[in-house]
Amino acid sequence: MKSVVSAVAAASFFTVSASAVLAVEATMIDTTITQAEVEAAQVAWGEALVQISNDYAEGGIDKARATAEAVIDAAYGYGIGPVLFKPTLAAAPQTFRTTSEGALAYFVGHDENFPGDSGFALKGWTAVEIENAAIFISGNTAKTIGNVHITDTTGAVTTVDKTWGYQRDDEGNLRIVLHHSSLPFSAN
Amino acid sequence: MKSVVSAVAAASFFTVSASAVLAVEATMIDTTITQAEVEAAQVAWGEALVQISNDYAEGGIDKARATAEAVIDAAYGYGIGPVLFKPTLAAAPQTFRTTSEGALAYFVGHDENFPGDSGFALKGWTAVEIENAAIFISGNTAKTIGNVHITDTTGAVTTVDKTWGYQRDDEGNLRIVLHHSSLPFSAN
Amino acid sequence: MKSVVSAVAAASFFTVSASAVLAVEATMIDTTITQAEVEAAQVAWGEALVQISNDYAEGGIDKARATAEAVIDAAYGYGIGPVLFKPTLAAAPQTFRTTSEGALAYFVGHDENFPGDSGFALKGWTAVEIENAAIFISGNTAKTIGNVHITDTTGAVTTVDKTWGYQRDDEGNLRIVLHHSSLPFSAN
Amino acid sequence: MKSVVSAVAAASFFTVSASAVLAVEATMIDTTITQAEVEAAQVAWGEALVQISNDYAEGGIDKARATAEAVIDAAYGYGIGPVLFKPTLAAAPQTFRTTSEGALAYFVGHDENFPGDSGFALKGWTAVEIENAAIFISGNTAKTIGNVHITDTTGAVTTVDKTWGYQRDDEGNLRIVLHHSSLPFSAN
């Protein structure tokens, strides 16, 4: 007799044990995001940032821009709708980069429509460490908050406060639909 | 350096490996039903049927009815809305038992509002075997179909074709919101 | 000042009214099935049954089979996994048609692997009326139960007890993942 | 004959119109957040901030703290798990307020465990205007990003970049599970 625990059994009106199940393998539709998927997406973002810096050093703006476009296409959710993106160094009146053009300009600059952008990803980044303070996963959505530490070629480390929001898309991939990055507040 | 696989990394535009994550334990809201929960709910239904039969033999209709009421309260979804219940032997014009009163009458009879009901659960059932043909789980819902074999005190086995549909409720318990049972078709 | 009701406001610790929102149009990911979609899928099933009958009369088994294949491809969920299909007149040991081959054989027969099938959809059906007893929608899944009345060329009406279960697929279409049909029970 | 549009019908293999449905009212489990709910939650947050300021002016820290506790209990998701809260003026090493104690300290100060907190909500705020840049709703979760303009008693307006993430809880209420607020970046 198969031994199983169930809510109904727990209700304690059973004194018998006279039921069994011969099971088949169930079809499962489970779109819940795992913590491993979230962390993989975070690491991939860091890899991408360093890659763009490397590509800029090796191949100039054209190579860097091509990589940045591929990253934005693969990792962000601009195909779903406006992305809730507030880059670290974006200033009013172009604070929020809800379009892929705005995201690309932020990462690689060289866009006359975004005159304040100098290309954040071009600054010679060599390493990215993500230090999560909390992760919240609800079904096919996930949110993270914490510090991200970015190292440049001199070894100097920049720390930002960063939030990411992810959505699993119809192909099963996580996409960044929210990205709020800010410089740490200092009372001084 | 933490080694993770990611959709973006798989896109192959990375040649570097310069990103790492220090994770915390994520808060998870995952209401997806497991196959084990489905099978436990099926076994519990079988146990309940046998229990009602036992209670009827030992304590008469009052004891059987009390158990049946407890089972219906604990295992069915009448608190959510009308249940899609077509019992094996229910006939028109009372084929569908969308209310808990109709379900109780089917299981234990003795209800003048359901004159066709003789009390299916009172018939001395001693064992229930569930033989699933397929199980389909989608998030917080699940469906099963297959044969259920019910043994009586003489050792005779009755086989029915049975579908169950489950919904996880707000307290986290599976509830039967669909139950379609029918006698097997025979061409003869 | 925009007037809105909120859970927090309802908590009654506000005496002020000093907050306003300037909104943009939200991106919505809402996969919840509507009742209209369910009813449309039911009507479409009835139309398909009559169409297969018409095509059989006009073009023979080849035309009927082609239509039935198109219907099964478009309306059932065999692409997701085994379908929980118990047709009205299917008998053991081929009661459950979890594959598309089994569904096709049931609808149009002429398959030596399913010798008991005479082709349910070939029987000259002219009209289908769906009389739902209850509908249960939970997110991207839906279930119905009730009677279906099918009229043939002589005007005779056959009534069955029928359950359908639907799943919205990744393209947004409803698919039948559960279909349990049975002849009404009669105590006589 | 009821006229309905369906995916299958649109597949164009129907030339007949011979199917109809007699529907009942469906039971609906739909937890998808509406845009109106999101905006109401935002307005409520603004009202709460002004209320705490008013209560501080009228009743001192005890009254302000009681209101703030009620607001945090009613509007934030600390009962679900750590909240992803980065307040505007919180500094390392207490940047992230994943506990309700940290949130309360930020809003009303007077907590020796959070020596950097002077009580953001005590600063005489009189009005809050939320200017959303984008809203993203996915089922029972929602995210917003944009500017929030807060007016003090002198009429001076402070603008912050703010992200909120909401989760519908088991009682059906929206709860803030993510709140990232930062001072606008300026290149100067």
Side-chain angles (χ1 to χ4, degrees), chain C residues 2 13-20 22-24 27 29-30 32 35 39-40 43 47 51 54 128 130 135 137 139, chain D residues 2 5 13 15-20 22-24 27 29-30 32 35 39 43 47 51 54 126 128 130 135 137 139:
Chain C
K2 182 160 187 164
F13 35 70
F14 297 149
T15 58
V16 296
S17 176
S19 179
L22 302 174
V24 293
T27 299
I29 298 184
D30 182 0
T32 302
Q35 183 166 350
E39 293 168 10
V43 168
E47 300 283 339
Q51 186 70 50
N54 284 3
V128 176
I130 295 114
I135 302 174
I137 298 172
Chain D
K2 181 155 187 169
V5 176
F13 35 72
T15 59
V16 296
S17 177
S19 178
L22 302 175
V24 293
T27 299
I29 298 184
D30 182 0
T32 302
Q35 182 166 350
E39 294 168 11
V43 168
E47 300 282 340
Q51 185 72 50
N54 285 3
T126 60
V128 175
I130 295 116
I135 302 173
I137 297 172

Side-chain angles (χ1 to χ4, degrees), chain A residues 15-16 22 24 35 51 130, chain B residues 15 22 24 35 51 54 130:
Chain A
T15 59
V16 295
L22 301 175
V24 293
Q35 183 166 350
Q51 187 70 51
I130 295 114
Chain B
T15 60
L22 302 174
V24 292
Q35 183 167 349
Q51 187 71 50
N54 284 4
I130 294 116

Side-chain angles (χ1 to χ4, degrees), chain C residues 20-82:
Chain C
V21 62
L22 302 174
V24 293
E25 186 179 1
T27 299
M28 294 287 302
I29 298 184
D30 182 0
T31 61
T32 302
I33 294 174
T34 66
Q35 183 166 350
E37 287 180 301
V38 171
E39 293 168 10
Q42 293 183 315
V43 168
W45 188 92
E47 300 283 339
L49 183 69
V50 174
Q51 186 70 50
I52 297 169
S53 278
N54 284 3
D55 286 353
Y56 183 59
E58 294 174 8
I61 181 59
D62 288 349
K63 187 169 186 186
R65 183 189 290 112
T67 300
E69 286 176 336
V71 167
I72 292 168
D73 279 356
Y76 283 79
Y78 288 103
I80 303 174

Side-chain angles (χ1 to χ4, degrees), chain B residues 128-177:
Chain B
V128 176
E129 187 182 75
I130 294 116
E131 185 182 2
N132 288 309
I135 302 174
F136 189 97
I137 298 173
S138 174
N140 61 354
T141 69
K143 303 170 181 74
T144 67
I145 201 165
N147 284 132
V148 175
H149 311 286
I150 314 182
T151 306
D152 68 16
T153 52
T154 72
V157 175
T158 298
T159 292
V160 298
D161 300 335
K162 193 179 288 287
T163 290
W164 275 303
Y166 299 95
Q167 174 76 36
R168 190 189 295 284
D169 70 14
D170 287 342
E171 285 73 45
N173 301 311
L174 297 203
R175 291 191 169 276
I176 299 169
V177 294

Side-chain angles (χ1 to χ4, degrees), chain B residues 79-143:
Chain B
I80 303 174
V83 172
L84 289 65
F85 186 14
K86 205 296 284 177
T88 317
L89 306 180
Q94 296 184 309
T95 303
F96 303 104
R97 303 303 172 91
T98 55
T99 67
S100 57
E101 290 75 19
L104 183 64
Y106 181 74
F107 284 124
V108 298
H110 299 81
D111 185 334
E112 61 186 10
N113 293 322
F114 293 87
D117 290 350
S118 56
F120 179 79
L122 308 182
K123 298 179 191 299
W125 305 115
T126 61
V128 176
E129 187 182 75
I130 294 116
E131 185 182 2
N132 288 309
I135 302 174
F136 189 97
I137 298 173
S138 174
N140 61 354
T141 69
K143 303 170 181 74

Side-chain angles (χ1 to χ4, degrees), chain A residues 2 13 15-20 22-24 27 29-30 32 35 39-40 43 47 51 54 128 130 132 135 137 139, chain B residues 2 5 13 15-20 22-24 27 29-30 32 35 39 43 47 51 54 128 130 132 135 137 139:
Chain A
K2 181 156 186 167
F13 35 72
T15 59
V16 295
S17 178
S19 178
L22 301 175
V24 293
T27 299
I29 298 184
D30 181 1
T32 302
Q35 183 166 350
E39 294 168 11
V43 168
E47 300 283 340
Q51 187 70 51
N54 284 3
V128 176
I130 295 114
N132 289 309
I135 303 174
I137 298 173
Chain B
K2 180 157 186 165
V5 176
F13 35 72
T15 60
V16 296
S17 178
S19 179
L22 302 174
V24 292
T27 299
I29 297 184
D30 182 0
T32 301
Q35 183 167 349
E39 294 168 12
V43 168
E47 300 283 340
Q51 187 71 50
N54 284 4
V128 176
I130 294 116
N132 288 309
I135 302 174
I137 298 173

